[in-house]
Structure formats: structure tokens, C-alpha cells
Amino acid sequence: MTATTLRITADRPDRMHVALHRPAVRNAIDAAMVAELHVVCAELEAVPRILILTGSEGVFASGADIAELRDRRREDGLAGINSRLFGRIAALPMPVIAAVDGWALGGGAELAYAADFRIASTTARIGNPETSLGIMAAAGATWRLAELVGEPVAKEILLAGRVLNADEALALRLVTEVHEPGQLDAAANALADRIAKQDPLAVQTTKRVFHAPRDSHPAVDEQAQAVLFESPAKFARMDAFLAKRKRS
């Protein structure tokens, strides 16, 4: 695809690297970026691959584009412009890795919250300053963030403007790794490598079942396992394991 707000690399069959790229406005998320990310989602829904999301030039995303946000009205709020995109990203078949370098604020933070994995650089700063602008974080933070870091810290971020640095985010397990900025892309690819070693169908099924409603368990687990038990990859991988154990 041709994109103006993203830098897309898809030179490996198991992953796509998408860098948010509006450096003049610190990668603020505007309507064009939303539209282009929807196209990315459509491609990854059709051909499932791991998605690595990054920023560019030392910033992940400074939030929604305030110039656009200033003019949005009631109808725009009801349209869920960012929340529907981030929900689509969260629901992608294969895992999503957000590699956060520098500022991830507002909608940028909410985009990171929608990922399956978040890793950070030492310069990462993550927060939701929406209430200082007279609005709220309405693209997932009010519920995803509480699930990720717990209610007390989530309220500090959402209601009192707390911004987490990389060490705080790691201590709270909002991110699982912290690296120097120059090593962040390599770390994201190393994580993608570990995922790519697993059976893709098993990964996709596990992600789907992991996010299934609580009251659907254990039936949803059993139904999914029944499908995997008939998968050719299950037999091939288990045969290889047993052959290796026999040789050793």
C-alpha cells in the first residue's frame, strides 16, 4: 500500500513493521493516519502476520491531532473514530507489538494499550492528558488501562495527569522490556522471532480464546483445542518433538 503518514516494511513473510511518521507534529494521529491504519488492518486480517508498531524520530505518538480534535463535535464522539480503529488493531489475528520510544500520549498511549505486547525505550513517557484539554480518553484507556496497571494507577493517569517513565511502566508491567532507543527495533524483532517460532494457528487460536468473555470458558477452550487436535501442524510438531527426544 501507498501511505503518507506511515512507513511500512513488509520484507519478511511473518511480520509487518509500521512506523507512525508525521514528524512535524510528533506523529499526532489524524484522519489520514486512521484511514491508513485501517488499510493495514485489512491486509493483516486477510493475511495474518505479526504487527510491530513504532514511532519515528524519537516519538511514538503525541496523541490525536489537536488541530482536528478542536473541531470535532458530538457526532464525531459518537463515531468512535479512534476507538474503533484501536479495537480493530487489538482484534488482529496475530499478536501486535508496540515499541514505544519517547512520548506516547493520549491517543498514542491508547494505541499502545491496544497492543498485545508493549516494550519501551529508556526515553518512553506514557500518559493520558485528555482531561487537561477538556475531554476524556475515550479510545480504550478507561478500561484497558485499569486492566493493565490496576485501578489506582489508572486513575492517577486518567484523572490527575500522571505520566509514567520507562522504569515506572516496567515496574507496573505496562511494558515488559526496556531498551536503549537504538536497540528498540532489534528488541521488537527479537520478540517477533520468538512468536514466529510457534505454530501460527495455535497462536491465533490462543489469542482469540484469551480475549473471549469470561463466561464462555471453559467451553470456548475445549472447542478451540478440539480444532487444534486435528491440525496437521500439531501432528508434525509433536512427531518432531518425539523424534528429537528419541535421538537424545
Side-chain angles (χ1 to χ4, degrees), residues 31-184:
M33 186 180 286
V34 168
E36 291 177 358
L37 285 170
H38 273 297
V39 175
V40 167
C41 287
E43 290 194 14
L44 294 175
E45 289 160 356
V47 182
R49 284 161 283 171
I50 300 161
L51 173 60
I52 299 175
L53 283 170
T54 68
S56 55
E57 301 193 15
V59 177
F60 183 72
S62 59
D65 192 311
I66 302 300
E68 284 190 358
L69 205 57
R70 165 66 179 77
D71 294 330
R72 287 183 183 169
R73 305 302 293 265
R74 178 179 184 275
E75 293 76 13
D76 299 303
L78 293 174
I81 295 167
N82 284 0
S83 64
R84 294 183 186 185
L85 169 64
F86 299 164
R88 191 174 184 183
I89 289 171
L92 286 172
M94 288 292 285
V96 178
I97 301 168
V100 179
D101 187 21
W103 294 103
L105 298 176
E110 290 179 297
L111 173 57
Y113 304 156
D116 297 289
F117 301 90
R118 284 159 299 281
I119 65 175
S121 78
T122 54
T123 68
R125 299 292 184 271
I126 304 171
N128 289 92
E130 283 89 344
T131 53
S132 71
L133 295 170
I135 59 173
M136 63 173 278
T142 55
W143 53 279
R144 283 197 181 101
L145 189 55
E147 293 174 355
L148 292 168
V149 301
E151 181 179 319
V153 175
K155 284 182 174 178
E156 272 197 276
I157 293 167
L158 295 169
L159 305 180
R162 180 178 176 183
V163 175
L164 302 178
N165 63 31
D167 289 339
E168 291 169 330
L170 182 64
L172 290 163
R173 308 305 290 167
L174 179 60
V175 303
T176 53
E177 303 174 25
V178 174
H179 300 272
E180 293 299 324
Q183 299 300 315
L184 191 59

Side-chain angles (χ1 to χ4, degrees), residues 1 7 12-13 16 21-22 26 32 52 65-66 80 107 114 131 160 188 199 209 237 239:
M1 65 172 282
R7 295 291 180 267
R12 297 179 62 170
M16 179 184 290
H21 191 75
R22 298 185 70 220
R26 296 188 175 185
I52 299 175
D65 192 311
I66 302 300
T131 53
D199 173 51
V209 172
R237 284 173 173 262
D239 285 345

